[in-house]
Amino acid sequence: MPEVKLVDLSELEPAGMARPDAGLQQRKSSDTRIAILDAAIDCLAELGYSRTTNRLIAKQAKVSRGAMLHHYATRQDLIESVIDYAFYCHMEEFGRAIRSLSEHERKSDNSGIALDWDLFLSRPHKAYLELTMAARTDGELRAIFVPKAQRHDRIWCDQLLAVFPEWSNDLELLNRSRRVVTAMMSGMILNRDIWNDSAMEQTLLQFLADILIKLREGDLAFAPPPSPKRRAKLG
């Protein structure tokens, strides 16, 4: 795969991260923050948003309540950081995984779909999906989550373009195609325990990989948007 310039994700790094030349105390503080954020992701992924409390997070992170409050004074401060951190972890691993593919694997086999699915099953994405679902009914969380998620959505598009330059001729097609991937994989995640069918899961992933190649090569196209009259009927 040719060298590509990945999107700079440094702005999503957790606040307070130590620089490589930082002193012992700064590194210790940075490690504590990461431990807290990782613990929050574990709790969200395993217990859900409503059952995740600061007390449980502190216990999982093996830090005192006071130490946690020192770094994250309020639950809102912590949740804001967790939202960005979960997305940051996903993006970092995604870029690393795609760079490991050969050009043939990336472009002809569309092996990125399998890698993306593995990341959809990861702890950070499970936590992110939990926050997505909880934000539908929790107004306070929604006010925090939605603006961040919309920003992440724009960063995600830029990241895809960086690692899949073969889509650069049609950004709108890339945008629509990535939404198909997100919608399908999110639905698969939500129904995974119900279906309990790993063979069908792989069939759907291969179908998705084949569909994206056809879209990219122009062998398949999205239908034009419905007319205003038709949209009114559908709505």
Side-chain angles (χ1 to χ4, degrees):
M1 174 182 176
E3 187 66 25
V4 294
K5 179 177 172 56
L6 296 178
V7 175
D8 183 9
L9 299 176
S10 60
E11 61 186 278
L12 294 175
E13 287 183 351
M17 293 300 96
R19 295 170 57 87
D21 58 349
L24 178 61
Q25 189 58 40
Q26 287 177 302
R27 293 200 303 273
K28 184 178 179 181
S29 176
S30 176
D31 289 345
T32 300
R33 282 179 174 266
I34 291 296
I36 293 170
L37 293 173
D38 282 335
I41 282 176
D42 284 340
C43 290
L44 286 166
E46 295 172 14
L47 302 174
Y49 180 73
S50 63
R51 294 172 60 195
T52 294
T53 64
N54 285 9
R55 185 182 299 276
L56 281 175
I57 293 171
K59 182 178 180 181
Q60 178 76 11
K62 296 181 172 59
V63 301
S64 68
R65 174 79 168 160
M68 188 161 137
L69 290 175
H70 171 72
H71 291 287
Y72 299 102
T74 67
R75 178 176 171 82
Q76 179 174 332
D77 290 339
L78 177 57
I79 292 300
E80 285 186 0
S81 293
V82 169
I83 294 168
D84 279 342
Y85 181 62
F87 180 76
Y88 171 80
C89 291
H90 189 115
M91 287 291 90
E92 278 281 283
E93 185 57 35
F94 179 78
R96 190 178 303 113
I98 297 301
R99 281 200 301 266
S100 72
L101 298 176
S102 68
E103 184 170 1
H104 179 82
E105 289 172 325
R106 188 193 83 245
K107 190 173 180 180
S108 300
D109 295 342
N110 204 7
S111 299
I113 287 296
L115 295 177
D116 202 13
W117 177 243
D118 287 342
L119 290 174
F120 261 71
L121 299 176
S122 69
R123 291 182 311 109
H125 192 269
K126 285 182 179 179
Y128 199 88
L129 184 59
E130 174 63 27
L131 290 167
T132 303
M133 298 299 292
R136 296 177 62 250
T137 55
D138 187 306
E140 184 177 352
L141 175 61
R142 180 179 176 81
I144 301 170
F145 181 79
V146 171
K148 283 185 173 293
Q150 289 173 337
R151 176 165 165 259
H152 296 163
D153 189 59
R154 293 190 292 270
I155 293 173
W156 183 224
C157 186
D158 291 340
Q159 182 81 333
L160 285 177
L161 185 58
V163 295
F164 294 110
E166 57 269 21
W167 289 82
S168 60
N169 291 332
D170 194 333
L171 298 184
E172 180 58 28
L173 179 62
L174 173 62
N175 192 42
R176 292 181 181 182
S177 298
R178 74 186 177 90
R179 292 183 187 279
V180 169
V181 173
T182 299
M184 187 165 174
M185 288 191 179
S186 295
M188 290 171 65
I189 287 286
L190 292 174
N191 289 283
R192 196 170 195 235
D193 290 339
I194 299 170
W195 295 342
N196 191 28
D197 189 339
S198 58
M200 178 57 69
E201 190 172 277
Q202 294 304 311
T203 297
L204 292 175
L205 292 173
Q206 186 58 56
F207 175 76
L208 182 56
D210 293 342
I211 287 294
L212 291 182
I213 291 174
K214 290 180 180 295
L215 286 168
R216 190 190 69 215
E217 298 301 320
D219 297 326
L220 184 67
F222 286 97
S227 65
K229 185 176 181 179
R230 175 64 175 162
R231 284 201 300 272
K233 289 183 179 179
L234 294 173

